Amino acid sequence: MSRKNLTVAGLVTAAFTVVLLTFALRPEGDGKLKQAAVPNPSQEKTVKKTSLVQDVKATDQLNRTDVGKHLRTMLADTHGAAPRDISAYAKRLQQGHGHITMLIWIDFVTQQTHTFKSSLPEGSDQENKQLLKYLNTAKSAIRGHQSYESPSFIIGQKKYYFMAQRDQDRKIGVIALINQKILDRVADHQLKNLRLIPYPKEGKYRVESVHADTLKDITVKTGHDNENASHFYENEIVVRFKNGHLTAGQIQTITADIRCKEPRKLGYAYIFRSDKMNYAELKTYFTSKWQPEYTEPHYMYLTNETAVENTGASVITPNDLLFSTYQWNLPAIETEQGWNLSKGSKEVVVAVVDTGVQASHPDLQGQLLAGYNAIAKGSTPDDDVGHGTHVAGIIGAVINNEEGVAGISWYNKILPVKALDNSGAGTTYSVAEGIIWAADNGAKVINLSLGNYADSQFLHDAIKYAYDRDVVIVSAAGNDNTERPGFPAAYEEVLAVAATNANGEKASFSNYGDYIDVTAPGESIASTYPDNQYAALSGTSMASPHVAALAGLVRSLNPALTNKEVMELMISNAVDLGDTGHDKYYGWGQVDIYRTLRAAGGSVVPLQLFPQHVDRQLKSMQHSLESSN
């Protein structure tokens, strides 16, 4: 037998042996849980409202904890400082934290008071009386060497509270008036994100709503209607021509026929916006005259926010302010133990294709790359919604800086790509462009906390483009509590993520179905938010970045693994929930960071992936043999 044939025979034998070992040594699923009841449509609105109220309440708690820390730090940092230095400090603090409306500095030794941004908000007589009552209570508290927090109160249409702190030497006190506009932002955000209201509004940007299966026109009147709806621009069309491109003459003919400007092109597809035709008319025109490979609407994509045996590894507990009290989600997936095996690597980039990210947030400093803006070309990918900043913090908020929250990855760089506009919606084009740009600019993992119910070939082309370049693509399943497959999550190349709550049960809002691969925490997740703040949000949008961050840790620990192998490792090492094996509510189970990283190993191919590794070697060898003949 020749050396080549001996090698092939040996590899086949090894492959067969390892397949047997893989099944024999396959770990049993842990922590089986009884399937949580899935709310019916009549219950869904009530359950989602409960999630919204929970998120607002948790955000209020995060905000108060964060403000208290800033006031204590201010007292410590300005101890014995001159008045002008205290004034400069107060100015910097308020510039970076716009919700700190007023600061009152009281020196109990000299009996001097300094007020920064001195005008109090004006309301009705009753509201002003209540404000002064809480202010006087705050002053009395710190005179008595006590800290103080008032309840929230309304002035005009805005909500406020007072907080007061006294320094350790009891010589200085500070009182802050805090604007709680973040609570309204979170409430408004979650009304749309959890689909409690029709979103996006019909008529804005000439948007049409259609049934995702039939493309028949429907009107979205309630939040629940969203589960059957896809949205698209009524005067636009996506076209892929059979030869992949048009000549200048053909473009001139089309623009004259449909009365449009120069079309946009991405990959093989073009987007035309007509000044005189709607989608149906455009489809008829292109189908009859140009016989394209496919035509489809220019869809919109919306944000989708909404225990293992201990083997003795030590637990790393970060000192981040909000970690121990509020970040239940990280211990739930064994993050602290996992950090003993991998904390990430700056060489492995995780892209966040979303609404952008606040680059100046103190808890994201040093974690972000420059990124890209697919909405406003040439602009920085700033976040004007909050969604992308929240997602980015889950992945990589700075750890052990005594500030805010802890991210899952310590060192993976985050690549912000703005593909959704200031309403939280984006188009097939902007999302596809964001995916392709991220793949071309070093992303090893892409997180897509967005979706729609329309199966777009144009978007799928972009997904395949990134997947073929060895990118791990992770996407949120959606927040309509429906079994209808959402895209891009349901594409074969994408890891689809549903959401769980703190009890390890399906989150009430989470979509489900046979396409679900894994679950991750998604209920009241604390993370970074614009204006240097923190918020708790619920949604599969929050679950997805847990998995994207894990993919970043795996690729940092074992760069030899392909994207498919990384996905298989996360799936096969998930903690089985619900029915044994794969089910439509939990997929293969909730991701487990420690167990997955332990299976990923170092630079060698893990045992459970060795059959696939051997198969690739066999195919490579076969190709070499065929080439040599």
Side-chain angles (χ1 to χ4, degrees):
M1 186 178 289
S2 70
R3 182 178 297 176
K4 286 182 178 179
N5 288 337
L6 279 170
T7 303
V8 171
L11 284 170
V12 171
T13 302
F16 180 72
T17 303
V18 173
V19 167
L20 293 177
L21 284 171
T22 300
F23 282 98
L25 299 176
R26 184 178 182 180
E28 292 294 328
D30 298 326
K32 301 290 195 303
L33 292 175
K34 184 178 180 181
Q35 169 59 41
V38 177
N40 60 43
S42 62
Q43 300 169 320
E44 184 177 339
K45 188 172 183 179
T46 300
V47 172
K48 286 185 174 182
K49 280 185 175 180
T50 301
S51 291
L52 185 151
V53 170
Q54 180 177 304
D55 289 346
V56 171
K57 183 178 179 180
T59 299
D60 182 25
Q61 294 169 341
L62 295 174
N63 178 268
R64 289 171 182 262
T65 303
D66 185 53
V67 168
K69 181 251 185 185
H70 285 299
L71 296 187
R72 290 190 297 273
T73 301
M74 180 182 182
L75 288 169
D77 290 351
T78 58
H79 184 78
R84 66 178 183 182
D85 293 329
I86 296 170
S87 177
Y89 190 103
K91 184 177 181 179
R92 289 195 302 272
L93 181 60
Q94 290 179 295
Q95 284 177 339
H97 300 80
H99 54 295
I100 303 178
T101 301
M102 175 185 288
L103 284 170
I104 302 174
W105 180 269
I106 303 175
D107 186 327
F108 291 103
V109 176
T110 64
Q111 296 300 313
Q112 290 184 326
T113 298
H114 302 281
T115 304
F116 308 104
K117 289 192 177 179
S118 58
S119 59
L120 288 168
E122 290 287 336
S124 66
D125 290 343
Q126 183 63 33
E127 289 171 344
N128 293 337
K129 183 178 178 180
Q130 187 178 49
L131 180 148
L132 291 174
K133 172 189 171 183
Y134 288 132
L135 176 57
N136 290 329
T137 304
K139 290 178 179 179
S140 297
I142 58 173
R143 285 194 191 101
H145 308 295
Q146 295 178 339
S147 60
Y148 173 75
E149 274 186 50
S150 79
S152 298
F153 56 88
I154 303 293
I155 301 292
Q157 299 297 317
K158 297 178 181 178
K159 187 177 289 188
Y160 299 86
Y161 69 90
F162 280 107
M163 179 176 286
Q165 299 279 352
R166 188 82 179 251
D167 74 341
Q168 289 184 344
D169 293 341
R170 300 184 175 183
K171 295 178 180 178
I172 303 294
V174 63
I175 300 172
L177 176 65
I178 308 300
N179 186 325
Q180 292 189 287
K181 59 185 177 181
I182 189 173
L183 303 186
D184 292 331
R185 286 189 63 179
V186 168
D188 180 64
H189 191 154
Q190 292 300 77
L191 281 171
K192 294 183 289 187
N193 183 53
L194 294 175
R195 312 298 189 253
L196 279 161
I197 58 175
Y199 172 61
K201 293 181 179 179
E202 295 195 43
K204 186 178 183 182
Y205 306 122
R206 300 187 70 180
V207 172
E208 283 293 324
S209 300
V210 292
H211 193 283
D213 294 332
T214 65
L215 294 187
K216 289 184 178 178
D217 184 70
I218 62 174
T219 299
V220 178
K221 295 180 179 179
T222 69
H224 187 72
D225 292 339
N226 282 291
E227 72 175 57
N228 290 316
S230 286
H231 313 279
F232 67 89
Y233 292 87
E234 64 177 11
N235 61 332
E236 296 187 9
I237 191 168
V238 177
V239 185
R240 177 173 176 176
F241 297 91
K242 290 180 179 178
N243 64 353
H245 64 275
L246 296 171
T247 65
Q250 289 171 324
I251 290 176
Q252 187 175 9
T253 298
I254 293 172
T255 55
D257 288 347
I258 68 174
R259 197 181 302 164
C260 75
K261 296 179 181 178
E262 185 84 6
R264 290 173 286 169
K265 185 174 189 290
L266 185 66
Y268 300 113
Y270 292 81
I271 295 177
F272 297 90
R273 173 183 289 182
S274 173
D275 292 334
K276 71 173 185 178
M277 294 183 181
N278 61 29
Y279 172 74
E281 294 167 334
L282 288 167
K283 183 176 177 66
T284 299
Y285 166 78
F286 280 102
T287 301
S288 62
K289 187 166 182 176
W290 298 94
Q291 293 81 47
E293 185 167 321
Y294 68 75
T295 62
E296 65 182 27
H298 189 196
Y299 292 112
M300 301 181 72
Y301 291 84
L302 316 175
T303 60
N304 278 332
E305 307 180 59
T306 72
V308 187
E309 179 184 356
N310 192 319
T311 59
S314 61
V315 172
I316 298 174
T317 303
N319 65 16
D320 299 82
L321 179 68
L322 305 173
F323 175 78
S324 297
T325 306
Y326 299 104
Q327 290 191 266
W328 66 268
N329 46 310
L330 300 196
I333 55 176
E334 300 290 0
T335 308
E336 298 149 292
Q337 278 188 296
W339 285 332
N340 287 287
L341 302 176
S342 175
K343 295 184 177 74
S345 164
K346 65 180 181 180
E347 306 302 325
V348 177
V349 175
V350 180
V352 174
V353 178
D354 212 291
T355 61
V357 178
Q358 184 200 339
S360 60
H361 198 292
D363 223 0
L364 293 171
Q365 293 308 295
Q367 303 294 82
L368 304 176
L369 299 175
Y372 179 70
N373 192 327
I375 300 296
K377 303 297 190 299
S379 300
T380 55
D382 296 326
D383 188 0
D384 43 17
V385 176
H387 189 268
T389 300
H390 199 273
V391 167
I394 295 170
I395 295 170
V398 179
I399 293 177
N400 279 340
N401 63 345
E402 299 183 341
E403 171 81 36
V405 295
I408 291 173
S409 167
W410 296 47
Y411 303 124
N412 291 109
K413 294 297 184 183
I414 297 171
L415 186 66
V417 179
K418 184 172 178 61
L420 306 180
D421 64 20
N422 60 9
S423 73
T427 66
T428 322
Y429 186 95
S430 64
V431 174
E433 183 182 7
I435 292 168
I436 289 173
W437 188 92
D440 285 343
N441 285 272
K444 296 295 184 183
V445 180
I446 295 177
N447 183 80
L448 299 169
S449 289
L450 48 84
N452 201 331
Y453 296 108
D455 181 0
S456 163
Q457 295 180 72
F458 181 31
L459 181 66
H460 201 178
D461 279 347
I463 292 289
K464 290 175 181 177
Y465 180 92
Y467 185 82
D468 290 344
R469 281 151 183 79
D470 195 37
V471 178
V472 176
I473 309 165
V474 182
S475 182
N479 302 327
D480 289 315
N481 183 38
T482 178
E483 195 169 356
R484 173 183 292 279
F487 298 95
Y491 291 130
E492 182 181 357
E493 300 84 2
V494 178
L495 200 72
V497 185
T500 51
N501 62 22
N503 295 320
E505 299 169 336
K506 173 190 173 296
S508 57
F509 50 78
S510 180
N511 286 0
Y512 56 97
D514 291 339
Y515 68 99
I516 299 297
D517 293 303
V518 293
T519 60
E523 195 166 276
S524 281
I525 305 301
S527 187
T528 46
Y529 208 65
D531 299 327
N532 299 339
Q533 297 192 73
Y534 299 88
L537 300 179
S538 296
T540 55
S541 277
M542 283 59 258
S544 182
H546 288 77
V547 182
L550 173 54
L553 296 180
V554 172
R555 304 207 90 164
S556 301
L557 178 65
N558 193 338
L561 299 176
T562 67
N563 56 354
K564 184 177 181 182
E565 289 171 339
V566 173
M567 293 164 72
E568 288 173 350
L569 271 178
M570 293 192 292
I571 287 171
S572 62
N573 288 283
V575 178
D576 196 5
L577 304 176
D579 295 337
T580 301
H582 186 274
D583 66 73
K584 64 182 180 180
Y585 299 110
Y586 302 100
W588 292 101
Q590 182 165 272
V591 292
D592 186 294
I593 289 182
Y594 176 66
R595 197 155 78 170
T596 302
L597 292 175
R598 187 176 59 182
S603 59
V604 298
V605 177
L607 176 63
Q608 66 191 99
L609 295 177
F610 196 70
Q612 297 94 315
H613 178 71
V614 171
D615 182 60
R616 286 200 306 276
Q617 284 189 307
L618 288 172
K619 288 179 179 177
S620 176
M621 185 172 292
Q622 182 181 5
H623 179 73
S624 299
L625 289 171
E626 290 173 350
S627 300
S628 62
N629 292 335

